[in-house]
Amino acid sequence: MALARRIGASFLGLLLCSPALGVQAQEPEWRHALAVIEAPKYPKDFERFAYVNPDAPKAGNINLSASGTFDSFNPVLDKGELAAGLAPRLSLVTETLLKPSMDEVDAVYGLLAEAVSYPEDYAYARFRLRPEAKWADGVPVTPEDVIFSFDKFKELNPLYSTYYNHVVKAEKTGDREVTFTFDEKNNRELPVIVGELDIVPKHWWTAIGPDGKPRDISRTTLEPILGSGPYKIAAFTPGAKIQYELRDDYWGKDLNVNIGYNNFKSQTYTYFADLDVEFEAFRSGSVDFWAENSAMRWARSYDFPAVADGRVKRQVLDNEYKTSGVLVGFVPNMRREMFKDARVRKALNYAFDFEELNRTIFFDQYKRIDSYFYGSELASKGLPEGKELEILKGLGSDVAPEVLTQEYKNPVGGDGAKLRDNLRQALALLKEAGYELRNGKMVLAATGAPLQFEILLNGPTIERVAIPFADNLRKIGIQANVRTVDSAQYANRVRSFDYDVIYLGWAQSLNPGNEQRDYWGSKSVDQPGSRNYAGISDPGIDKLINQIIFAKDRDTLIPTVKALDRVLLASNYTLPTYTLRSSRIAYWDKFDHAELPTYGIGFPSIWWSKSP
């Protein structure tokens, strides 16, 4: 699915816990839960999720860290630096219509909405709000709030404009009912992704602020926002620290989907400009939890006394990766002329020596990525056959012939001889593309223009990967400059596609759907803020995306996704790097948790403090 744990398209119908009996077509049944692969495991009146502790104490404070800075509490916008704890779908302050279960692949249950209905052709989705749902000021959550939220997210945030492109309107259809109308029928994902929408209070955002001026949702703000969620912003230092306090009057604290959640009385985020300083704060006990992203640090930097005597715990967990695939790597921007030629993009891969990096700085902890859906059953393997081959052939000239006959393989390095062979392959590709070496520099033969570009990084973590890559490129005359910028500048440049090469990736659920249009659909190429980072515009890919969205069942979806994977790989839109299919976490032994859910760690939402 499209957004941070995605809920994908439905194939056997958005499954209900029990079948409908005698329901008229014009009166769709109300459903308390939606899912895609298996029917939701929890019945309508379930007491709680099985993985929580219903008796967890509501006590203590947890100290967390964040990198960079923040300058906004407005979750609607795709500009500014949103404070930690306010990201849509993960927010402590705002809430969504539906809430995911962490022990099911993709089931979601009513949160602000108590039920949802839709017709057989999925022409619309109707949500019925809970009568008890209230904002922190005591005002009920209304259909007008839902409509306002939808309109503003779609108007002001390019990501949601694309994501909700086929949701044409939201309107009030009852005292507690709001209906979303779709311009595509049989798009089974749309009712679910609408349920992901964070709801903000219309009456608050359209009122006069404490400065005597009307609030403006189109602008960033550091006024603590009003929400319906379990926490409120209690204190903050702009750009440096923010503290959330658990609300005693939270309307949903006894709701079945919330039992055992939100167990800390307060949560505090402290910001750090330097990652090493941030880690030292964890080592000293100023920060309680650390999610490790460096193989070297994981191998060498946990020799301090608190680890030795058990005051700091370390774990490697694969829970969060059981329902997802991923691609991470260097992404050339095809909006730049030099990267429009696939041979140039492919040549870059021959200069990346993963095996050497894995041996020297990664302690052999990582695996090389060879799929846009790496780690999932959706990843293509071998040569296409069966239905997958049939789908590819059905695209005719929109698919390059080699997609049908050649399996994607990354170059293999690891020693000097292999690297030299790979660089010779790169030189041959560049020659085919019209380049030649002149005085040690790779230039376009027709014009003499040098092949040079900038690798833009968000912080120093990937420098140890990018710099050896750039050194290898220089051996074949390509000048690649590695530039590290702060998170705010990086975000702004990525939003406006102002880069040559960046390093990032895409998460994939087991049920890809509408988000694929935002990742590599032609309409997203020129839309600022889209995640079409590579600048892909390809009619064959557009057709495959539509086939994925409207796949009638899972047996059709899987080979279609694999076909898309092959087409993306064959064009070398991204230089895939590496991944670890598990989470490395460390934390001070101040907390406890029940048996962790199958598909999540649940930190800190279902953990609790051992002492008040």
Side-chain angles (χ1 to χ4, degrees):
M1 161 160 273
L3 302 167
R5 188 181 167 200
R6 303 290 181 218
I7 301 167
S10 165
F11 311 112
L12 301 176
L14 289 170
L15 298 174
L16 178 61
C17 287
S18 58
L21 300 176
V23 178
Q24 296 292 325
Q26 66 270 26
E27 296 180 0
E29 61 182 309
W30 288 102
R31 308 159 186 259
H32 77 285
L34 306 176
V36 299
I37 297 175
E38 298 177 350
K41 65 183 287 186
Y42 296 99
K44 182 178 180 179
D45 297 321
F46 74 100
E47 293 183 6
R48 61 178 175 85
F49 292 128
Y51 51 82
V52 302
N53 175 11
D55 301 315
K58 306 290 185 184
N61 173 65
I62 185 166
N63 293 304
L64 302 171
S65 63
S67 299
T69 187
F70 71 90
D71 60 10
S72 180
F73 295 149
N74 185 347
V76 172
L77 304 181
D78 183 35
K79 62 182 179 181
E81 291 295 305
L82 185 65
L86 294 178
R89 295 166 309 282
L90 301 172
S91 177
L92 299 173
V93 175
T94 60
E95 295 180 297
T96 53
L97 295 168
L98 305 175
K99 180 174 181 174
S101 160
M102 287 190 281
D103 61 350
E104 300 171 83
V105 173
D106 55 10
V108 285
Y109 296 81
L111 183 54
L112 285 173
E114 65 181 5
V116 58
S117 67
Y118 53 84
E120 290 183 2
D121 63 359
Y122 300 90
Y124 65 84
R126 181 168 295 142
F127 289 81
R128 188 173 68 210
L129 299 176
R130 294 184 186 275
E132 67 270 34
K134 291 182 173 59
W135 301 105
D137 61 0
V139 175
V141 178
T142 66
E144 287 81 4
D145 295 317
V146 178
I147 296 165
F148 176 78
S149 302
F150 169 75
D151 288 343
K152 293 304 178 182
F153 268 102
K154 193 170 180 181
E155 172 192 349
L156 300 173
N157 192 315
L159 171 61
Y160 289 89
S161 178
T162 300
Y163 196 47
Y164 292 138
N165 181 51
H166 294 286
V167 187
V168 294
K169 64 179 177 179
E171 57 186 337
K172 182 176 181 178
T173 51
D175 289 343
R176 291 188 288 114
E177 294 178 13
V178 59
T179 299
F180 295 88
T181 302
F182 313 135
D183 66 2
E184 284 185 336
K185 293 184 178 180
N186 301 309
N187 187 333
R188 297 175 175 90
E189 187 181 24
L190 291 176
V192 185
I193 66 173
V194 169
E196 294 179 334
L197 180 68
D198 267 58
I199 309 304
V200 298
K202 179 180 180 180
H203 73 280
W204 189 85
W205 280 104
T206 56
I208 301 299
D211 59 358
K213 300 178 182 179
R215 294 189 179 98
D216 185 353
I217 199 170
S218 69
R219 300 172 64 88
T220 60
T221 182
L222 283 175
E223 179 187 357
I225 61 171
L226 181 75
S228 64
Y231 287 85
K232 64 181 179 180
I233 299 172
F236 69 96
T237 302
K241 181 175 288 189
I242 181 169
Q243 182 178 34
Y244 298 93
E245 183 178 288
L246 187 65
R247 292 174 45 211
D248 292 332
D249 60 349
Y250 171 46
W251 73 271
K253 61 183 176 182
D254 297 321
L255 200 63
N256 53 5
V257 296
N258 288 332
I259 297 296
Y261 279 72
N262 310 313
N263 300 318
F264 293 99
K265 276 289 189 180
S266 62
Q267 298 187 33
T268 302
Y269 285 90
T270 301
Y271 277 77
F272 296 85
D274 183 273
L275 196 62
D276 291 332
V277 175
E278 187 176 347
F279 181 67
E280 287 305 312
F282 168 70
R283 283 169 52 111
S284 71
S286 299
V287 172
D288 294 326
F289 181 90
W290 185 261
E292 187 57 75
N293 67 349
S294 168
M296 183 175 293
R297 188 163 47 236
W298 187 252
R300 293 183 173 178
S301 299
Y302 288 82
D303 55 354
F304 52 99
V307 174
D309 62 26
R311 286 177 294 144
V312 167
K313 305 291 185 182
R314 293 207 301 167
Q315 289 183 279
V316 178
L317 303 167
D318 65 357
N319 304 51
E320 293 180 308
Y321 292 87
K322 292 178 180 178
T323 62
S324 66
V326 68
L327 181 128
V328 180
F330 293 99
V331 185
N333 184 0
M334 292 191 295
R335 301 169 185 86
R336 302 288 200 255
E337 189 64 34
M338 72 188 98
F339 294 129
K340 292 184 184 296
D341 194 311
R343 292 167 295 190
V344 174
R345 302 194 301 269
K346 186 175 183 179
L348 300 183
N349 201 355
Y350 281 99
F352 181 71
D353 194 342
F354 163 73
E355 288 73 21
E356 179 70 8
L357 293 171
N358 204 30
R359 180 181 64 84
T360 56
I361 67 173
F362 294 154
F363 300 87
D364 291 318
Q365 293 183 27
Y366 294 118
K367 300 292 184 182
R368 185 79 194 268
I369 294 172
D370 59 2
S371 168
Y372 280 74
F373 302 85
Y374 182 83
S376 78
E377 65 176 337
L378 303 172
S380 59
K381 299 291 182 184
L383 292 175
E385 57 185 21
K387 187 175 288 188
E388 184 184 349
L389 181 59
E390 179 184 333
I391 292 167
L392 288 168
K393 287 183 175 179
L395 296 173
S397 61
D398 287 332
V399 170
E402 57 266 26
V403 175
L404 307 180
T405 59
Q406 297 178 19
E407 179 184 6
Y408 177 84
K409 294 283 189 181
N410 285 308
V412 177
D415 60 47
K418 291 177 180 176
L419 177 60
R420 286 191 293 274
D421 287 343
N422 288 337
L423 293 180
R424 280 193 286 269
Q425 293 278 3
L427 287 168
L429 285 165
L430 291 167
K431 183 177 181 180
E432 290 178 18
Y435 287 86
E436 64 182 20
L437 276 171
R438 293 182 187 172
N439 300 319
K441 291 186 178 181
M442 185 64 63
V443 300
L444 194 60
T447 65
L451 181 54
Q452 59 186 26
F453 54 84
E454 177 184 87
I455 301 173
L456 184 69
L457 300 179
N458 182 16
T461 300
I462 303 300
E463 287 178 353
R464 66 184 66 184
V465 177
I467 291 173
F469 175 44
D471 289 342
N472 288 343
L473 289 169
R474 288 189 187 95
K475 293 174 183 177
I476 55 174
I478 299 174
Q479 180 69 33
N481 300 311
V482 177
R483 184 180 183 190
T484 300
V485 298
D486 61 55
S487 58
Q489 184 177 352
Y490 183 84
N492 287 331
R493 289 187 62 178
V494 170
R495 286 177 190 136
S496 60
F497 308 125
D498 180 20
Y499 51 83
D500 297 331
V501 176
I502 53 176
Y503 188 90
L504 39 63
W506 300 264
Q508 296 281 3
S509 80
L510 295 183
N511 294 283
N514 291 269
E515 77 286 348
Q516 304 300 306
R517 288 170 170 160
D518 187 51
Y519 289 176
W520 16 78
S522 296
K523 290 184 178 179
S524 62
V525 169
D526 299 319
Q527 182 157 0
S530 84
R531 288 164 293 175
N532 191 341
Y533 306 122
I536 299 170
S537 180
D538 182 282
I541 288 175
D542 291 338
K543 291 175 182 177
L544 285 169
I545 291 172
N546 282 336
Q547 290 181 39
I548 287 169
I549 291 172
F550 295 102
K552 62 181 180 180
D553 52 43
R554 193 154 188 82
D555 289 339
T556 302
L557 175 87
I558 292 175
T560 310
V561 175
K562 289 182 176 181
L564 173 64
D565 188 28
R566 290 185 189 280
V567 175
L568 291 167
L569 289 168
S571 294
N572 292 279
Y573 294 125
T574 300
L575 190 170
T577 54
Y578 55 89
T579 187
L580 176 69
R581 298 288 297 169
S582 56
S583 304
R584 296 170 296 204
I585 63 171
Y587 56 93
W588 286 83
D589 190 20
K590 301 177 180 180
F591 318 112
D592 210 343
H593 57 78
E595 183 176 351
L596 293 178
T598 306
Y599 303 114
I601 293 174
F603 181 88
S605 58
I606 61 172
W607 294 41
W608 63 88
S609 177
K610 287 183 176 180
S611 59

